[in-house]
Amino acid sequence: MKEVTAQINKLFPNRRFPSVDERLNELMSHLSIRSFQKENPDIPQEVYRRSLHTLSQYVREQGNCAACQGLETCGNMVTGHESELVTSHNYLDVRMKKCNRLKSYENMQKRKELLKSHKIPKSVLGATFQDIEFDERANVIMEAMQYCSLFDDGIPKQGLYLYGSFGVGKSHIAGAIAHYITGVGLDVFMAYVPDLVNEVYASIQKKTTSQLLDAIKQVKVLILDDIGAETMSPWFRDDVLGAVLQHRMAEELTTIFTSNLTLEELEKHLSYTQKGGHEPIKAGRIMERIRHYVKPLYVTGPNRRPGVV
């Protein structure tokens, strides 16, 4: 080390470089290294002396982390990782571990993978309980939050039926529920029912119907948004919706609904066919797979959609 220092001094005669001891003393004065030294009192000074490069990297990256403004500007050797000092064969080395910012980013990406959606607005998919205003809906929001806590211990058999007038925030509450559920590692599929009906018919032409229906049947938590707003054929009602709900009921998988209709009004809606027919018995069969497996929550309040006077 002394020979290297001598060579550097010859190349730069007018510039003073700190000696090894001076550099070591400077590095050892950093709080992070003092803390490491305090936790590892048996490591001799010579080990620190041999590990100047490692100590320099560690101190530099600790400074980067202290001044961090985001993953995009991370200056560390491995983006999104912070250094941790460890001993290795009479030397000090650094071990990389993910920083909290990277963990948060990865958790967010995992949420996106867990939350599959079909024709759901981004504002709904990004909803959280922290963002929802506690107004006249406060009791419903509190019940929804208490319901979410059930997923911490497993998958509840009972779902929810959020109903109320246009624009009161039913979908946003459902979106916040989905956000919470993905946070505990469960997959969610949220579908806007009127578009889902159209997509099922389109998938017949593409021969992908089974893939779509399997996803809806098998997902741990299914959220059917705005059921009752669609025009539903007897085939879709009986062979699609009925089959999906029957499978989920048998497998004890959670289903959550939002609707502008009460359960009684939904049953009437399902009883009427496109051609003006009336099939209350078949509608009743569908409702048997809904009514006994949900807790109805009435969402009240004004229409919050943009442009409403």
Side-chain angles (χ1 to χ4, degrees), residues 36 43 46-52 54 86-93:
F36 177 80
I43 298 177
E46 187 57 32
V47 171
Y48 291 94
R49 187 184 180 85
R50 288 193 212 105
S51 310
L52 279 181
T54 297
V86 294
T87 56
S88 177
H89 305 295
N90 294 321
Y91 282 87
L92 294 177
D93 201 354

Side-chain angles (χ1 to χ4, degrees), residues 13-289:
N14 298 321
R15 184 174 176 184
R16 184 183 180 279
F17 290 89
S19 67
V20 173
D21 289 334
E22 288 173 332
R23 182 59 180 150
L24 180 60
N25 290 335
E26 180 187 351
L27 291 170
M28 296 296 289
S29 69
H30 282 264
L31 179 62
S32 55
I33 294 182
R34 290 210 310 269
S35 297
F36 177 80
Q37 191 177 30
K38 185 176 181 180
E39 294 170 1
N40 301 272
D42 297 332
I43 298 177
Q45 190 77 357
E46 187 57 32
V47 171
Y48 291 94
R49 187 184 180 85
R50 288 193 212 105
S51 310
L52 279 181
H53 178 73
T54 297
L55 294 176
S56 295
Q57 177 188 341
Y58 177 69
V59 167
R60 182 173 61 254
E61 296 201 349
Q62 288 288 305
N64 290 339
C65 290
C68 179
Q69 295 184 355
L71 293 175
E72 302 81 4
T73 57
C74 178
N76 285 355
M77 184 177 294
V78 181
T79 300
H81 287 70
E82 54 188 348
S83 299
E84 183 179 32
L85 274 181
V86 294
T87 56
S88 177
H89 305 295
N90 294 321
Y91 282 87
L92 294 177
D93 201 354
V94 290
R95 179 170 57 199
M96 298 297 181
K97 63 178 183 179
K98 294 178 181 179
C99 69
N100 289 333
R101 287 182 185 270
L102 180 59
K103 290 177 182 177
S104 297
Y105 174 77
E106 290 179 341
N107 287 337
M108 181 179 68
Q109 294 301 110
K110 184 178 179 181
R111 281 182 188 277
K112 289 181 179 179
E113 293 173 5
L114 287 172
L115 178 55
K116 303 175 182 67
S117 67
H118 191 275
K119 308 291 185 178
I120 301 295
K122 289 183 179 179
S123 59
V124 172
L125 293 178
T128 67
F129 286 114
Q130 290 79 8
D131 299 330
I132 299 177
E133 185 179 354
F134 276 63
D135 40 33
E136 55 270 277
R137 304 168 298 174
N139 289 337
V140 170
I141 295 170
M142 289 297 295
E143 284 214 48
M145 293 172 68
Q146 291 173 4
Y147 174 74
C148 283
S149 67
L150 299 176
F151 289 90
D152 295 336
D153 300 317
I155 303 175
K157 297 178 184 179
Q158 187 181 48
L160 294 178
Y161 187 82
L162 300 164
Y163 70 100
S165 301
F166 294 97
V168 295
K170 303 180 296 293
S171 297
H172 278 77
I173 295 173
I177 293 172
H179 185 272
Y180 184 95
I181 293 171
T182 57
V184 298
L186 296 174
D187 56 325
V188 180
F189 192 110
M190 187 172 185
Y192 179 60
V193 175
D195 281 335
L196 178 63
V197 172
N198 294 333
E199 184 64 25
V200 169
Y201 284 113
S203 69
I204 295 173
Q205 301 296 325
K206 302 174 187 175
K207 298 182 180 180
T208 58
T209 308
S210 60
Q211 297 173 20
L212 178 60
L213 295 185
D214 282 347
I216 297 172
K217 282 182 178 180
Q218 303 296 341
V219 70
K220 293 292 190 295
V221 181
L222 174 64
I223 301 178
L224 293 176
D225 186 38
D226 215 3
I227 190 171
E230 74 293 327
T231 301
M232 193 178 293
S233 70
W235 173 78
F236 187 94
R237 179 194 62 200
D238 301 332
D239 295 345
V240 177
L241 181 62
V244 167
L245 294 179
Q246 177 63 32
H247 175 85
R248 298 188 62 78
M249 179 182 69
E251 296 297 321
E252 298 183 350
L253 298 172
T254 306
T255 308
I256 297 169
F257 304 83
T258 77
S259 182
N260 296 323
L261 308 176
T262 65
L263 287 169
E264 291 72 24
E265 290 169 339
L266 178 63
E267 184 166 359
K268 290 180 181 178
H269 168 77
L270 293 174
S271 70
Y272 291 100
T273 67
Q274 289 172 313
K275 297 182 179 180
H278 186 220
E279 299 177 335
I281 295 177
K282 290 185 176 181
R285 289 175 184 161
I286 300 296
M287 292 307 299
E288 285 296 306
R289 300 164 190 167

